[in-house]
């Protein structure tokens, strides 16, 4: 047998993505919660910026105005409304992007219910194959109840079974007439607005007009013509052209409708709006590659014209789920904060990116180019300024190099004073420029070749000038040319930024000055103290290793004596010091501490005296005249 199960009229609950679902199978799970939050923020921003009612805002506003105007005209009955009483107000809405019709009509229904009338119903052709089905859908959705037709026994049985599980009342009508709807409308109108002047219209939306059966649509309009107590209003969704109404409805039927055409913007205009708001803006950090953009645009233009599918194709979820480094796909401040928290694995992923390898190649080339241009320009600047009075930029090139390493040399006061002194130079300027050309001539970089050509041209102009023009009080050609030379020098020197401004400068520049100072300007006492306190790191003997920082009993004598002297005050009693040393050494050699000869061996005393002498030689202790059997301690802490 065949069993028919009608779907439940209640809306299905849409399942929202949870963090657990996002984390499952997610690469880089340690940052999955941050990426999940970033994804949600961007997705909510997408829905906020690109809502269907925002894309069709103008046409929807026009439709709302049309429905309000028709409603007001009916409420305030006048001669014009009496003349057109037999016509049903009808809006023909031209929408080209068919897949997004549902979203557009949903937005329209919500706007109408919020501002014009609560009585709005939408129907589709696939559920209205016959007139009774169309009547039934209209009544059910307007009255929010189950409606059964008496001539359909199968439907009666199914709906009777549904009634057993529901408390919703059922209205039965033999011919599915609109009389029940009229009675319900009058009841609702009196209940909601006791005033007789307020009659909100009943809006019926035909989403896909072209797909409706022509006979069903014509009969429905003819039936609605005679329902004077029901202020009906139609909205036709048309995806092709306005002539569709003429093809589907004969003149006898279309003359019953007061039709007004509403044209929405083209789908390409909607696409341009989406791209403008989501892609061509720095406010939206997520970007698409050229290939992905081409695929999405091709699908839009040659497949479905759907803005909704285009937004789905942005692949936000897939990007944040599959790319661990998408934790940096956010606003600048947050990206910098997340960058500081990247793990070693994330940094390794950055290193393995193909784009990062290409960037490294380019950065290395730029760094090499920087060095090729830096040193010739440095030598030119030194040649120009090394002979100036008081040497504002130093006499030796190393002095100028140190200035350039630390700051932008063209921003210093010394550089400005050097340029002023060059302005006063006359005969010397030509000779200095000649030195610069000799420096730049063997350099093969493009920038230096261009600079060499410009310098040669300026030198030729200098040689063409005669001496009389230099002595003229007016602005002579010589002075104009000299100004040009100084401006040229300024432009050259602007390419001498500090190395720290160059990316990957750490590859070539060593910057740990403290390490150099520690290696070249050593502090012997600190090294000696470290050796005496931790002899294990200097002598390859496992028995010297300790965990608590103490000195092993098997350590050299001077290490034991040094450790014991650290436990004393300013003055150290030699006898007590020796007794402590003897105890440590005898325990290390396995002697019995209870024996009479424990700690009294001459060999131990001799070793102690030698260790104390070595400490005195190294400067840790000295003899004192205050007490003959005491020595004074000279070092404290790390000193």
């Amino acid at each position: 047998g065949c069993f028919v199960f009608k779907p439940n009229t209640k809306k299905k609950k849409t399942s929202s993505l949870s963090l657990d679902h996002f984390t499952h199978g997610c690469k880089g799970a340690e940052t999955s919660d941050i990426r999940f939050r970033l994804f949600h923020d961007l997705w909510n921003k997408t829905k906020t910026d690109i809502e269907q009612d925002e894309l069709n805002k103008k046409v929807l506003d026009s439709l709302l105005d049309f429905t309000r105007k028709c409603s007001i005209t009916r409420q305030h009955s006048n001669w014009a409304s009496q003349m057109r009483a037999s016509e049903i107000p009808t809006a023909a809405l031209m929408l080209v992007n068919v897949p997004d019709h549902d979203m557009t009509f949903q937005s329209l229904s919500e706007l109408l219910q919020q501002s014009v009338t609560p009585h709005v119903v939408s129907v589709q052709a696939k559920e209205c194959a016959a007139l009774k089905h169309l009547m039934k859908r209209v009544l059910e959705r307007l009255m929010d109840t189950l409606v059964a037709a008496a001539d359909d026994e199968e439907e009666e049985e199914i709906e009777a079974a549904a009634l057993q599980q529901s408390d919703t009342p059922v209205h039965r009508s033999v011919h599915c007439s609109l009389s029940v709807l009229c009675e319900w409308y009058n009841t609702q109108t009196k209940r909601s607005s006791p005033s007789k002047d307020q009659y909100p219209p009943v809006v019926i939306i035909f989403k896909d007009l072209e797909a409706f059966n022509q006979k069903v649509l014509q009969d429905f309009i003819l039936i609605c013509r005679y329902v004077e107590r029901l202020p009906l209003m139609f909205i036709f969704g048309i995806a092709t052209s306005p002539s569709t109404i003429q093809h589907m409805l004969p003149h006898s039927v279309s003359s019953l409708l007061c039709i007004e055409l509403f044209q929405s913007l083209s789908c390409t205009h909607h696409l341009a709006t989406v791209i403008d708001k989501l892609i061509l803006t720095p406010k939206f950090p997520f970007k698409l590659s050229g290939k992905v953009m081409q695929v999405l645009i091709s699908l839009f233009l040659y497949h479905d014209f759907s803005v909704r599918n285009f937004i789905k194709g942005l692949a936000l979820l897939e990007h944040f789920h599959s790319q661990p480094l998408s934790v940096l796909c956010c606003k600048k401040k947050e990206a910098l904060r997340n960058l500081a928290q990247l793990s070693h694995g994330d940094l390794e992923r950055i290193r393995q990116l193909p784009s990062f390898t290409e960037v490294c190649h380019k950065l290395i080339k730029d760094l090499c180019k920087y060095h090729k241009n830096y040193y010739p320009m440095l030598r030119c600047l030194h040649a120009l300024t090394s002979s100036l009075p008081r040497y504002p930029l130093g006499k030796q090139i190393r002095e100028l190099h140190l200035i350039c390493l630390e700051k932008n040399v063209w921003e210093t006061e010394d550089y400005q004073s050097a340029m002023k002194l060059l302005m006063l130079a006359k005969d010397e300027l030509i000779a200095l420029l000649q030195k610069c050309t000799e420096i730049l001539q063997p350099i093969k970089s493009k920038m230096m070749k261009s600079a060499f050509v410009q310098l040669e041209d300026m030198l030729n102009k200098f040689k063409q000038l005669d001496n009389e023009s230099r002595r003229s009080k007016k602005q002579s050609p010589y002075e104009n040319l000299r100004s040009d030379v100084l401006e040229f020098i300024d432009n050259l020197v602007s390419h001498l930024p500090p190395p720290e401004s160059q990316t990957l400068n750490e590859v070539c520049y060593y910057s740990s000055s403290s390490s150099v100072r520690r290696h070249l300007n050593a502090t012997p006492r600190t090294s000696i103290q470290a050796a005496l306190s931790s002899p294990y790191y200097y002598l390859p003997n496992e028995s010297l290793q300790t965990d608590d920082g103490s000195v092993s009993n098997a350590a050299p004598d001077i290490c034991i004596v040094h450790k014991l002297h650290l436990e004393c005050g300013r003055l150290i009693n030699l006898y007590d010091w020796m007794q402590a040393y003897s105890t440590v050494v005898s325990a290390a050699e396995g002697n019995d501490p209870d024996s009479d000869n424990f700690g009294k061996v001459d060999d131990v005393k001799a070793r102690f005296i030698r260790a104390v002498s070595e400490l005195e030689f190294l400067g840790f202790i000295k003899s004192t005249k205050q007490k003959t059997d005491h020595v004074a301690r000279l070092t404290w802490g790390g000193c």
Side-chain angles (χ1 to χ4, degrees), residues 221-229:
I221 295 174
L222 290 172
I223 292 174
C224 293
R225 172 193 179 185
Y226 298 102
V227 186
E228 299 178 357
R229 294 175 295 169

Side-chain angles (χ1 to χ4, degrees), residues 58-71 73 84 87-95 108 209 233-238 241-242 245 254-264:
K58 290 185 178 179
V59 67
L60 293 181
D61 289 344
S62 301
L63 275 171
L64 290 178
D65 292 340
F66 173 73
T67 53
R68 290 194 192 98
K69 190 186 299 181
C70 294
S71 177
T73 303
R84 303 171 66 90
E87 296 181 351
I88 301 175
T90 304
L93 178 58
M94 297 294 301
L95 292 172
L108 176 60
L209 184 70
M233 185 179 298
F234 295 156
I235 296 179
F236 292 158
I238 303 174
S241 67
I245 300 177
S254 61
S255 61
L256 302 177
L257 305 177
C258 179
I259 302 174
E260 187 168 339
L261 183 64
F262 296 87
Q263 179 73 52
S264 68

Side-chain angles (χ1 to χ4, degrees), residues 19 68 98 108 135-136 142 169 206 210 218 241-242 247 260 346 423 452-453 493 615:
L19 179 59
R68 290 194 192 98
V98 180
L108 176 60
M135 297 284 291
K136 183 177 179 180
L142 280 175
F206 298 86
E210 292 91 341
Q218 294 171 19
S241 67
H247 296 156
E260 187 168 339
D346 294 329
M423 283 289 292
F452 174 75
V453 171
V493 174
L615 278 184

Side-chain angles (χ1 to χ4, degrees), residues 286-418:
F286 176 77
K287 305 298 178 185
L288 296 175
S289 66
K291 291 183 178 179
V292 177
M293 272 288 291
Q294 188 62 46
V295 169
L296 289 178
I297 293 175
S298 299
L299 288 175
F300 182 89
L301 295 178
Y302 304 115
H303 184 64
D304 58 4
F305 294 126
S306 175
V307 174
R308 180 171 54 179
N309 291 343
F310 183 88
I311 295 174
K312 287 181 179 178
L314 294 178
L316 267 177
L317 178 59
E318 183 177 355
H319 176 70
F320 282 94
H321 184 266
S322 61
Q323 176 55 271
L325 297 178
S326 60
V327 70
L328 302 178
C329 184
C330 50
K331 293 183 178 180
K332 180 181 177 181
K333 291 183 178 179
E334 190 173 3
L336 293 175
R337 187 167 61 250
N338 293 340
L339 179 64
Q341 299 174 356
L342 288 181
S343 63
H344 175 74
D346 294 329
L347 295 177
E348 183 64 21
R349 293 186 185 99
I350 293 178
R351 189 186 67 80
Q352 294 176 358
L353 292 175
S355 60
F356 183 77
T357 305
E358 295 178 4
V359 168
C360 288
H361 283 298
K362 183 179 182 301
L363 293 176
I364 291 295
K365 291 179 181 178
D366 292 345
L367 190 61
C368 295
K369 188 186 297 182
Y370 165 78
H371 288 143
K372 286 182 180 179
N373 296 328
Y374 176 86
Y375 295 109
M377 287 188 289
L378 183 72
R379 296 182 187 279
C380 287
L381 183 59
H382 177 256
L384 291 169
T385 60
S386 60
S387 59
L388 294 177
R390 297 184 180 179
Y391 312 109
L393 292 178
K395 185 176 182 180
Q396 303 294 332
I397 191 171
R398 63 174 181 271
E399 298 172 343
L400 177 60
H401 181 50
L402 287 175
I403 296 174
C404 294
L405 287 177
E406 294 176 355
K407 60 186 76 173
N408 294 328
V409 64
W410 62 88
E411 296 178 353
T412 61
E413 294 181 2
D414 294 334
Y415 175 80
Q416 302 298 333
S417 61

Side-chain angles (χ1 to χ4, degrees), residues 138-147 171 180-181 184-185:
V138 171
L139 266 64
E140 281 182 346
R141 292 171 186 175
L142 280 175
M143 301 169 61
D144 194 20
T145 184
L146 295 175
V147 177
H171 297 272
V180 175
L181 181 61
W184 172 85
Y185 177 79

Side-chain angles (χ1 to χ4, degrees), residues 159-301:
E159 289 167 359
L163 282 175
Q164 295 177 2
Q165 302 176 359
S166 174
D167 297 333
T168 309
V170 165
H171 297 272
R172 299 181 183 276
S173 177
V174 178
H175 301 290
C176 286
S177 67
L178 296 178
S179 58
V180 175
L181 181 61
C182 293
E183 295 175 4
W184 172 85
Y185 177 79
N186 292 332
T187 304
Q188 293 292 322
T189 305
K190 292 178 181 178
R191 185 184 304 170
S192 59
S193 56
S195 175
K196 296 182 180 180
D197 295 335
Q198 293 189 3
Y199 294 97
V202 176
V203 180
I204 302 176
I205 301 175
F206 298 86
K207 291 184 178 180
D208 44 353
L209 184 70
E210 292 91 341
F212 273 86
N213 185 293
Q214 298 183 12
K215 185 69 168 62
V216 172
L217 193 61
Q218 294 171 19
D219 292 344
F220 182 77
I221 295 174
L222 290 172
I223 292 174
C224 293
R225 172 193 179 185
Y226 298 102
V227 186
E228 299 178 357
R229 294 175 295 169
L230 202 62
L232 289 172
M233 185 179 298
F234 295 156
I235 296 179
F236 292 158
I238 303 174
T240 53
S241 67
S243 60
T244 303
I245 300 177
Q246 300 175 358
H247 296 156
M248 294 187 65
L249 303 177
H251 178 72
S252 59
V253 178
S254 61
S255 61
L256 302 177
L257 305 177
C258 179
I259 302 174
E260 187 168 339
L261 183 64
F262 296 87
Q263 179 73 52
S264 68
L265 295 174
S266 64
C267 58
T268 53
H269 188 278
H270 291 329
L271 177 63
T273 303
V274 172
I275 293 177
D276 215 32
K277 289 187 176 182
L278 296 185
I279 296 176
L280 304 180
T281 173
K283 297 180 180 178
F284 199 74
F286 176 77
K287 305 298 178 185
L288 296 175
S289 66
K291 291 183 178 179
V292 177
M293 272 288 291
Q294 188 62 46
V295 169
L296 289 178
I297 293 175
S298 299
L299 288 175
F300 182 89
L301 295 178

